[in-house]
Amino acid sequence: MIGYGAILVALAGLLMTLPHFISEPYRYDSTSPEDMPQDFKASLCLPTTSAPASAPSNGNCSSYTETQHLSVVGIMFVAQTLLGVGGVPIQPFGISYIDDFAHNSNSPLYLGILFAVTMMGPGLAFGLGSLMLRLYVDINQMPEGGISLTIKDPRWVGAWWLGFLIAAGAVALAAIPYFFFPKEMPKEKRELQFRRKVLAVTDSPARKGKDSPSKQSPGESTKKQDGLVQIAPNLTVIQFIKVFPRVLLQTLRHPIFLLVVLSQVCLSSMAAGMATFLPKFLERQFSITASYANLLIGCLSFPSVIVGIVVGGVLVKRLHLGPVGCGALCLLGMLLCLFFSLPLFFIGCSSHQIAGITHQTSAHPGLELFPSCMEACSCPSDGFNPVCDPSTRVEYITPCHAGCSSRVVQDALDKSQVFYTNCSCVVEGNPVLAGSCDSTCSHLVVPFLLLVSLGSALACLTHTPSFMLILRGVKKEDKTLAVGIQFMFLRILAWMPSPVIHGSAIDTTCVHWALSCGRRAVCRYYNNDLLRNRFIGLQFFFKTGSVICFALVLAVLRQQDKEARTKESRSSPAVEQQLLVSGPGKKPEDSRV
């Protein structure tokens, strides 16, 4: 099943690349006619008597084109669905396989390696994506004469599809060994049988006197162990569906289980928002390339997550933490994470001036979006070829909106620079440089991401102790079901809605939308201060929710511990008398969470 799932993942990766091969080549200057080189005359200031620049783009709004776009998006949705289905077997089946066939002393080590490698996967994927995004999207069908874009140009689109192709090939190769595994692991099985025989021989003399009373009631022990796990194989699907709501409500009645799951929902919501939109946030906030943003995330964030998970497990093992200790460790980790999140509100770059957008020159922005100096030009309404005035750090959407009428290319040793001259809207008519204005605080991206990584490591300290709280908070026969319910809530309440919530919040900070066929298409410019406050504010909100849940967990655990001690102190004389009568063979029950 794991091998078949891996093959399905490989097919999904190949299907994700299909839209690139069935779509037309990417035209970064949609206002340029087909027979004219892109980024040449269409973006310049032309007389109003010339043909309107938006005419060529109207042909892209036909019903056939929209249907083609929807079909491409449908292909990607199907590929993502197959990717999700194929990725399911490796976790439950892989963990069960290791735990069944590995020796008890080796099983935790193998599972730890599995979890660590699983967390390394996204980090390696971000690194691979960083390399692929340095390549132009149409690297397999470059236009004649090449392209005039650089990787820093906001219109640059990297080879997003190439990473899926490489990953699909790697998964296909990794799927091959799974089909050659034996039906059983004979070596491990013989070793376990040998150890059981040794234990039976060594323990039989000592158990003769102690276990004789228990032999009289085998039905009671069977009845105690007869939980949902033992009953489930004998139930039909309809019967299990009828029983499941009652078992679900019974599991949710445990306050520790419910509070820990709610805390993990908050943490997963934070992680889903970060994993989905952190690269975009870094690009917009610090004016860095998509390749550099992915490289930083892969090198800093995911290694810190692995360190946090490992340190949390080591602390639980070395300190021999009980339920109260695990709850205190979770609360301490989240409080420190919340503390180190506060400086993130103040580390960022404000939006630079954009002519006609950040400073309107008219009381009616809908009628006059741009200055009157370019009224004589027939500028395209949907064009996007940003230029920057280096003297005043003012950005214009196109050279036409800067009133530029000519274009100059200066060849340097390693690359060529494009300038636009004769600009009527620029102070003193200075030439403007092609591309967006560079940010003055791009150097702050490394301190920002270091704080994010530190907060991620502190939040991941709670991974192992919170998992132990769930395992110790429910009955032994219901542990598997409790873990399944936990992951179900994480998927439904965190990983599904969180990206939608973060995306909606980011969209509210847009100050200039690009239009396609009269509808909003993509945001060209954001209010950086508002973007930072709302994105980090959402993260802070989810972290605060997790802190509150862990605080309630610790309070409930202390109250239960206090009640258990009071009950134990009251019943200690009776226990001592019972031990004197029945002997030392029977021990008082340990207090449960």
Side-chain angles (χ1 to χ4, degrees), residues 570-584:
R570 290 178 180 177
S571 60
S572 57
V575 172
E576 291 179 359
Q577 185 178 1
Q578 183 179 2
L579 290 175
L580 290 175
V581 175
S582 60

Side-chain angles (χ1 to χ4, degrees), residues 51 79 102 105-106 164 205 211 236 281 332 362 406 408 420 422 434 442 444 480 505 523 552 559 572 574:
S105 60
N106 295 331
F164 284 102
D211 294 345
T236 64
F281 176 82
L332 178 62
S362 173
S406 59
V408 178
Y420 294 90
N422 301 328
S442 297
L444 294 178
T480 305
C523 182
L552 293 176
Q559 181 65 26
S572 57

Side-chain angles (χ1 to χ4, degrees), residues 23 48 54 61 133 343 375 463:
S23 301
T48 54
S54 58
C61 298
L133 291 178
E375 287 182 352
H463 180 80

Side-chain angles (χ1 to χ4, degrees), residues 27-33 38 42 53 56-57 60 382-384 524:
R27 295 186 61 82
Y28 52 85
D29 191 357
S30 60
T31 62
S32 176
Q38 297 187 61
S57 62
N60 297 328
D382 57 347
F384 185 65
R524 298 296 190 191

Side-chain angles (χ1 to χ4, degrees), residues 496-519:
M496 290 177 62
S498 179
V500 179
I501 295 173
H502 281 80
S504 301
I506 291 175
D507 283 346
T508 60
T509 66
C510 183
V511 295
H512 179 63
W513 288 93
L515 299 179
S516 176
C517 303
R519 295 191 297 266

Side-chain angles (χ1 to χ4, degrees), residues 27-331:
R27 295 186 61 82
Y28 52 85
D29 191 357
S30 60
T31 62
S32 176
E34 296 292 338
D35 57 347
M36 185 181 298
Q38 297 187 61
D39 198 23
F40 184 50
K41 290 184 178 179
S43 297
L44 297 179
C45 179
L46 301 176
T48 54
T49 56
S50 303
S54 58
S57 62
N58 291 336
N60 297 328
C61 298
S62 63
S63 59
Y64 171 76
T65 304
E66 292 190 10
T67 304
Q68 188 180 18
H69 290 173
L70 289 177
S71 64
V72 169
V73 174
I75 291 174
M76 301 184 79
F77 280 170
V78 172
Q80 288 288 319
T81 303
L82 294 178
L83 188 64
V85 174
V88 168
I90 186 64
Q91 286 293 338
F93 293 161
I95 293 173
S96 300
Y97 197 93
I98 292 175
D99 193 52
D100 288 342
F101 291 103
H103 189 263
N104 290 337
S105 60
N106 295 331
S107 179
L109 175 62
Y110 296 156
L111 292 177
I113 294 174
L114 176 64
F115 289 136
V117 173
T118 302
M119 293 308 302
M120 288 172 58
L124 296 175
F126 271 99
L128 177 63
S130 173
L131 296 177
M132 297 302 104
L133 291 178
R134 292 178 178 271
L135 306 175
Y136 186 61
V137 60
D138 291 323
I139 189 174
N140 60 324
Q141 44 184 353
M142 292 290 287
E144 296 183 4
I147 57 174
S148 59
L149 289 183
T150 63
I151 192 174
K152 294 184 178 181
D153 196 299
R155 297 171 297 169
W156 174 273
V157 176
W160 58 270
W161 54 273
L162 197 54
F164 284 102
L165 204 59
I166 296 175
V171 174
L173 291 177
I176 295 176
Y178 286 102
F179 295 99
F180 295 94
F181 271 66
K183 292 184 178 181
E184 291 183 357
M185 287 293 193
K187 184 177 180 179
E188 288 284 330
K189 188 175 181 180
R190 284 198 297 267
E191 181 182 349
L192 290 176
Q193 290 177 350
F194 175 75
R195 289 180 178 272
R196 287 169 185 165
K197 291 180 180 179
V198 171
L199 289 175
V201 171
T202 55
D203 293 348
S204 56
R207 290 182 180 178
K208 284 183 179 179
K210 298 178 181 179
D211 294 345
S212 55
S214 62
K215 293 180 182 178
Q216 299 176 359
S217 57
E220 294 180 2
S221 61
T222 306
K223 191 177 294 184
K224 289 180 181 179
Q225 296 177 357
D226 193 17
L228 184 67
V229 178
Q230 287 76 23
I231 298 176
N234 300 323
L235 296 178
T236 64
V237 176
I238 298 177
Q239 291 174 338
F240 181 78
I241 293 175
K242 291 180 179 179
V243 173
F244 181 73
R246 187 173 69 234
V247 178
L248 176 63
L249 293 177
Q250 183 180 358
T251 306
L252 293 179
R253 285 170 55 187
H254 294 82
I256 301 300
F257 175 81
L258 183 60
L259 289 173
V260 172
V261 168
L262 288 178
S263 178
Q264 290 183 343
V265 165
C266 293
L267 289 176
S268 297
S269 300
M270 176 193 71
M274 275 285 185
T276 308
F277 292 105
L278 184 58
K280 180 185 181 70
F281 176 82
L282 296 179
E283 291 177 49
R284 296 293 183 172
Q285 189 68 212
F286 299 99
S287 299
I288 61 176
T289 64
S291 174
Y292 186 50
N294 282 272
L295 181 63
L296 286 177
I297 294 173
C299 293
L300 295 178
S301 294
F302 283 96
S304 67
V305 170
I306 297 174
V307 170
I309 293 176
V310 172
V311 171
V314 170
L315 289 177
V316 172
K317 181 179 180 180
R318 293 292 184 184
L319 301 179
H320 304 286
L321 296 180
V324 177
C326 289
L329 179 60
C330 292
L331 181 59

Side-chain angles (χ1 to χ4, degrees), residues 558-569:
R558 286 184 173 178
Q559 181 65 26
Q560 291 181 352
D561 190 56
K562 183 179 180 181
E563 292 177 358
R565 289 181 180 178
T566 303
K567 186 177 180 180
E568 183 180 355
S569 62

